[in-house]
Amino acid sequence: MIEIDKKSDTPIYEQIAQRIISQILSGSLRPGERIPSVRQLARQLSVNPNTIQKSYAGLLENGIIYSIKGKGDFVANNLNALRYMKKKELITELVQLTQEAKQAGLWIDELLSTVDSAYSERLI
Amino acid sequence: MIEIDKKSDTPIYEQIAQRIISQILSGSLRPGERIPSVRQLARQLSVNPNTIQKSYAGLLENGIIYSIKGKGDFVANNLNALRYMKKKELITELVQLTQEAKQAGLWIDELLSTVDSAYSERLI
Amino acid sequence: MIEIDKKSDTPIYEQIAQRIISQILSGSLRPGERIPSVRQLARQLSVNPNTIQKSYAGLLENGIIYSIKGKGDFVANNLNALRYMKKKELITELVQLTQEAKQAGLWIDELLSTVDSAYSERLI
Amino acid sequence: MIEIDKKSDTPIYEQIAQRIISQILSGSLRPGERIPSVRQLARQLSVNPNTIQKSYAGLLENGIIYSIKGKGDFVANNLNALRYMKKKELITELVQLTQEAKQAGLWIDELLSTVDSAYSERLI
DNA sequence: GTGGTCTAGACCACC
DNA sequence: GTGGTCTAGACCACT
């Protein structure tokens, strides 16, 4: 089940793409599996079909899904590449955040223990 | 010395505000000290004065600077509050990032060592 | 319907913000309802869109409205907080004014009867 | 003793004028009495003499002080007129404030009791 | 169509 | 010189 926040400042089409990617990464959508049709998802989220279309176009372009005319859109067999991409992205963000925190005067201990406890916590 | 990236997707006026804040946090701008005048900084960064104005308006509204008409803008005496705000903000981001990383399948060791080495690195 | 006074010494953008707030407080604009678009209101008041934008930016930052890109700006669900804020503000002003009046030699009866009759008066 | 707030957004020259007027109204400066010289007050408040000059020019124009070349500036014999002006001004403000409060949903009782207690309070 | 950002150029009050 | 407000016109991303 996908949920979006229309008030958020990250565009809806990107929110949807992120949700789908995270569903793939978490295994709740598997390679080869069909994802909801544009119209169906549009109805379900009460969002303009154009917006869904834009999400899917992005996923298609990055090889995360493939589409078969007349049948629908399916999760591609890219799981490892996808994981790798996401991982690199997260590491980059983490490096930036750490350096910013250092400059702002936080101690390394605070950062490490924050990461440690956040990792152990049960996800919401 | 302030540097900005006009191509970045974070607005110029916000980049400038962040730079000023980080200069205050790092101590290179002290409470009571004057910050560059709107026009001067505009010339220096080859940016429109209105854009600088917008940056300063934001800082003013948050009580980070105060302005005296005809004299200039000065760093307010909020250092502790500012540090606290920034710290809380960074910790929140770090928690989110950690949980996202966990869900994406990264190991705790990868995160901790990333933070550790990023912290030791010489800042650019 | 919003009216402004371009000659007033309170900036146009603030006049507009106040009008919107008072419309919310008086119930003529309800939470979730859309407020006029930037360009539309600009045309209607023959004011530059940037000025309207500045008004709305302030309301946005204070959580009084929220904006959805491509759709418009809407009244947030803050009515009680808003009422409380305004009330506290007005009471503070009233206290200051009263004390100033006392120091200037006005009698308490003059003040009370002024308030009383001003309150009964039909609003313009 | 006059005190000013350079950070305030009401101009310094106006702050000074207001202080002098309130000293006259409260009786601590009496008609015919000499007020501080421009240079003296400028030194005392560490303010540019031009600014003091502007204050005094305003007071002069409104007949609140008169100046004798080579001797200084003195409080005029206008006390009643001054009181009347100030009173009219305060009443006007009070009417506006009351109507705004009404529109914001405050009750007449709240306003009256606020005025009443503020009036009884010992001034700071 | 919508909001958001930016530029260029102007005017004002203040010090 | 300073900050603050406003106009006119442009571009962008989003729906």
Side-chain angles (χ1 to χ4, degrees):
Chain A
M1 189 54 186
I2 292 183
E3 285 185 5
I4 56 168
D5 176 11
K6 291 192 183 179
K7 298 178 189 174
S8 163
D9 50 351
T10 69
I12 294 179
Y13 78 92
E14 202 180 320
Q15 288 186 52
I16 294 171
Q18 284 173 0
R19 300 292 169 152
I20 294 192
I21 290 179
S22 83
Q23 289 195 359
I24 298 174
L25 285 174
S26 75
S28 83
L29 268 178
R30 304 189 172 211
E33 191 172 347
R34 186 168 168 231
I35 64 176
S37 82
V38 169
R39 288 183 199 124
Q40 180 186 342
L41 192 53
R43 264 204 317 280
Q44 182 188 325
L45 303 177
S46 27
V47 154
N48 193 304
N50 287 330
T51 306
I52 311 286
Q53 190 62 38
K54 193 166 180 180
S55 290
Y56 283 15
L59 296 170
L60 198 61
E61 201 173 339
N62 288 355
I64 294 164
I65 63 176
Y66 60 90
S67 80
I68 303 181
K69 273 186 191 166
K71 297 204 69 175
D73 300 295
F74 301 84
V75 177
N77 211 334
N78 263 1
L79 223 154
N80 284 333
L82 196 55
R83 263 195 221 291
Y84 183 70
M85 259 176 51
K86 183 76 178 179
K87 182 173 161 180
K88 251 182 64 181
E89 185 187 314
L90 287 168
I91 292 289
T92 305
E93 285 183 46
L94 189 54
V95 168
Q96 282 178 2
L97 193 54
T98 301
Q99 295 192 341
E100 200 182 347
K102 179 184 181 181
Q103 199 166 7
L106 277 80
W107 303 111
I108 177 70
D109 301 14
E110 296 180 279
L111 302 182
L112 291 178
S113 69
T114 300
V115 169
D116 204 44
S117 67
Y119 196 90
S120 323
E121 245 175 58
R122 209 171 133 271
L123 293 178
I124 307 158
Chain B
M1 190 56 185
I2 292 182
E3 285 184 5
I4 56 167
D5 174 12
K6 292 195 181 178
K7 295 169 193 164
S8 162
D9 52 347
T10 69
I12 296 179
Y13 77 91
E14 204 179 319
Q15 289 185 50
I16 293 170
Q18 286 174 359
R19 300 291 169 150
I20 302 264
I21 289 179
S22 82
Q23 289 196 0
I24 297 174
L25 285 173
S26 75
S28 83
L29 270 179
R30 303 182 167 226
E33 194 172 345
R34 185 164 169 229
I35 65 177
S37 85
V38 171
R39 290 163 174 82
Q40 180 187 339
L41 191 53
R43 270 200 315 275
Q44 181 186 322
L45 303 177
S46 22
V47 155
N48 189 290
N50 280 328
T51 306
I52 310 288
Q53 180 66 29
K54 196 168 179 180
S55 288
Y56 284 14
L59 295 171
L60 188 65
E61 209 166 315
N62 288 16
I64 294 164
I65 63 175
Y66 61 87
S67 84
I68 303 182
K69 271 186 198 168
K71 296 207 72 175
D73 297 292
F74 302 81
V75 177
N77 217 334
N78 264 1
L79 222 150
N80 284 335
L82 193 56
R83 264 192 219 291
Y84 184 70
M85 259 176 49
K86 183 75 178 178
K87 182 173 164 179
K88 253 181 64 179
E89 185 188 316
L90 287 168
I91 292 287
T92 306
E93 286 181 45
L94 188 54
V95 167
Q96 282 179 2
L97 193 53
T98 301
Q99 295 192 340
E100 203 183 344
K102 179 184 181 181
Q103 198 164 13
L106 278 80
W107 303 111
I108 177 70
D109 301 4
E110 297 181 281
L111 301 181
L112 292 178
S113 67
T114 300
V115 168
D116 206 41
S117 66
Y119 197 90
S120 323
E121 241 174 63
R122 208 171 135 269
L123 293 178
I124 306 160
Chain C
M1 190 54 186
I2 292 183
E3 285 184 6
I4 56 166
D5 173 12
K6 292 195 182 179
K7 295 170 191 163
S8 162
D9 53 348
T10 70
I12 296 178
Y13 76 92
E14 203 179 320
Q15 289 185 51
I16 293 170
Q18 287 173 357
R19 300 292 170 150
I20 302 264
I21 289 179
S22 82
Q23 289 197 0
I24 297 174
L25 286 173
S26 77
S28 83
L29 270 179
R30 302 185 168 223
E33 193 172 345
R34 183 162 171 232
I35 66 177
S37 84
V38 172
R39 291 164 176 80
Q40 180 187 340
L41 191 52
R43 270 200 315 274
Q44 182 187 321
L45 303 177
S46 24
V47 155
N48 190 290
N50 280 327
T51 305
I52 310 288
Q53 179 66 31
K54 195 168 180 180
S55 288
Y56 285 13
L59 296 170
L60 188 65
E61 208 165 318
N62 289 15
I64 294 163
I65 63 175
Y66 61 87
S67 84
I68 303 183
K69 271 186 197 168
K71 298 207 71 175
D73 297 292
F74 302 82
V75 177
N77 218 334
N78 264 1
L79 222 151
N80 284 334
L82 193 56
R83 263 193 220 290
Y84 184 70
M85 259 177 49
K86 184 75 178 179
K87 183 173 164 178
K88 253 182 64 180
E89 185 188 316
L90 287 168
I91 293 287
T92 306
E93 284 181 46
L94 189 55
V95 168
Q96 282 179 2
L97 193 54
T98 302
Q99 295 192 341
E100 202 182 345
K102 179 184 181 182
Q103 198 165 13
L106 278 79
W107 303 111
I108 177 71
D109 300 4
E110 297 181 280
L111 301 181
L112 291 178
S113 68
T114 300
V115 168
D116 206 42
S117 67
Y119 197 91
S120 323
E121 240 173 64
R122 206 171 136 272
L123 293 178
I124 305 159
Chain D
M1 188 55 186
I2 292 183
E3 283 185 6
I4 57 168
D5 176 11
K6 291 192 182 179
K7 299 179 189 174
S8 162
D9 51 351
T10 69
I12 293 179
Y13 79 93
E14 203 179 319
Q15 288 186 52
I16 293 171
Q18 285 174 359
R19 300 292 169 150
I20 293 190
I21 290 178
S22 83
Q23 288 195 0
I24 297 175
L25 286 173
S26 75
S28 84
L29 268 178
R30 305 188 171 210
E33 193 173 346
R34 185 169 170 231
I35 64 176
S37 81
V38 170
R39 288 183 199 126
Q40 182 186 341
L41 192 53
R43 262 203 319 280
Q44 182 187 324
L45 303 176
S46 27
V47 154
N48 192 305
N50 288 329
T51 306
I52 310 287
Q53 190 62 36
K54 193 166 179 181
S55 289
Y56 284 15
L59 295 170
L60 198 61
E61 201 173 341
N62 288 355
I64 294 163
I65 61 175
Y66 61 90
S67 78
I68 303 181
K69 273 185 189 166
K71 296 203 70 175
D73 300 295
F74 301 83
V75 177
N77 213 334
N78 263 0
L79 223 153
N80 284 333
L82 195 55
R83 264 194 220 291
Y84 183 70
M85 259 177 50
K86 183 77 178 177
K87 183 173 163 180
K88 250 182 65 180
E89 185 188 314
L90 287 169
I91 292 288
T92 306
E93 285 182 47
L94 189 54
V95 168
Q96 282 179 2
L97 192 54
T98 301
Q99 295 192 342
E100 199 183 347
K102 179 184 182 182
Q103 198 166 7
L106 278 79
W107 303 110
I108 178 70
D109 303 13
E110 296 180 280
L111 301 182
L112 292 177
S113 69
T114 301
V115 168
D116 205 42
S117 67
Y119 197 90
S120 322
E121 244 175 60
R122 207 171 135 270
L123 293 177
I124 307 160

